[in-house]
Amino acid sequence: MDRRYRKKMDAYWSREERKAALRVEDWARSEWFNYSHTHPDWRGKGNRSIEDRVSAAKIAIRLLGRLDEALRERELKTQCWVMLCADTAYDAVFVHSPNPYESVFPYVFPDARWDQDVPEWLERIVSAEQYVIGVGEREAKPCYFIRPRGEASHQGEAA
């Protein structure tokens, strides 16, 4: 891969991660969530190559880790997860909780099948001890759901 391209893309990923991290920090102060989410790759640049696809996914997973850690310190029942789609512009980091809109909580991932075979690139970047991966479908293409292993939601207990 061209060095100049890689340098340009590394700068892009760094900017996008900083922007999404600010959103995650804001969530740490929120009182409730209604499928709140952010997209680490709004422009879909992760679709250009497997290296960029992996970069987009790594950002989402790092953000999930930061979010999960921040939520564990809250006394609010929450759940968080990552959705990785065929088009990286649709990749998202989600957080959900009981809320005034009475959305179903916890979210049950109706079309996800957990602990299925996943592509090697995804298996390499997701810690099996920390996260569980589910496979679903969006627009007739595989979609991967990644959530913290163990309980599907935080129960308001500090870790």
Side-chain angles (χ1 to χ4, degrees):
M1 181 172 291
D2 180 74
R3 233 178 57 229
R4 288 173 293 174
Y5 174 79
R6 186 77 267 143
K7 186 175 180 179
K8 178 179 162 186
M9 288 309 296
D10 287 346
Y12 169 77
W13 295 122
S14 181
R15 279 191 312 275
E16 294 306 298
E17 185 166 6
R18 278 194 310 273
K19 285 192 280 187
L22 290 174
R23 184 81 186 259
V24 168
E25 288 172 19
D26 284 346
W27 288 340
R29 295 183 292 275
S30 295
E31 307 240 346
W32 52 265
F33 308 98
N34 187 20
Y35 301 106
S36 301
H37 64 282
T38 189
H39 299 272
D41 185 23
W42 286 101
R43 296 180 184 159
K45 291 187 177 189
N47 297 323
R48 294 178 175 177
S49 70
I50 188 63
E51 291 87 359
D52 289 324
R53 187 339 133 222
V54 169
S55 293
K58 282 181 176 179
I59 289 170
I61 293 163
R62 282 193 300 267
L63 291 169
L64 176 62
R66 290 173 73 169
L67 180 58
D68 185 44
E69 187 176 317
L71 292 173
R72 286 183 187 279
E73 299 170 4
R74 302 280 309 273
E75 291 192 24
L76 173 67
K77 291 181 182 181
T78 59
Q79 69 181 141
C80 56
W81 68 93
V82 163
M83 181 175 72
L84 300 177
C85 299
D87 182 343
T88 63
Y90 295 107
D91 289 0
V93 180
F94 285 85
V95 61
H96 188 52
S97 73
N99 60 71
Y101 298 103
E102 299 181 10
S103 309
V104 174
F105 178 83
Y107 181 63
V108 294
F109 307 92
D111 68 335
R113 296 170 320 282
W114 299 96
D115 290 318
Q116 302 290 305
D117 289 335
V118 298
E120 183 198 347
W121 66 264
L122 183 56
E123 206 171 67
R124 279 184 291 150
I125 63 173
V126 176
S127 164
E129 291 94 36
Q130 223 176 341
Y131 302 107
V132 61
I133 303 173
V135 181
E137 193 174 283
R138 296 290 182 273
E139 299 179 1
K141 295 184 180 171
C143 178
Y144 305 99
F145 298 93
I146 302 162
R147 64 176 171 77
R149 193 167 278 288
E151 289 188 274
S153 63
H154 298 283
Q155 301 301 319
E157 300 171 15

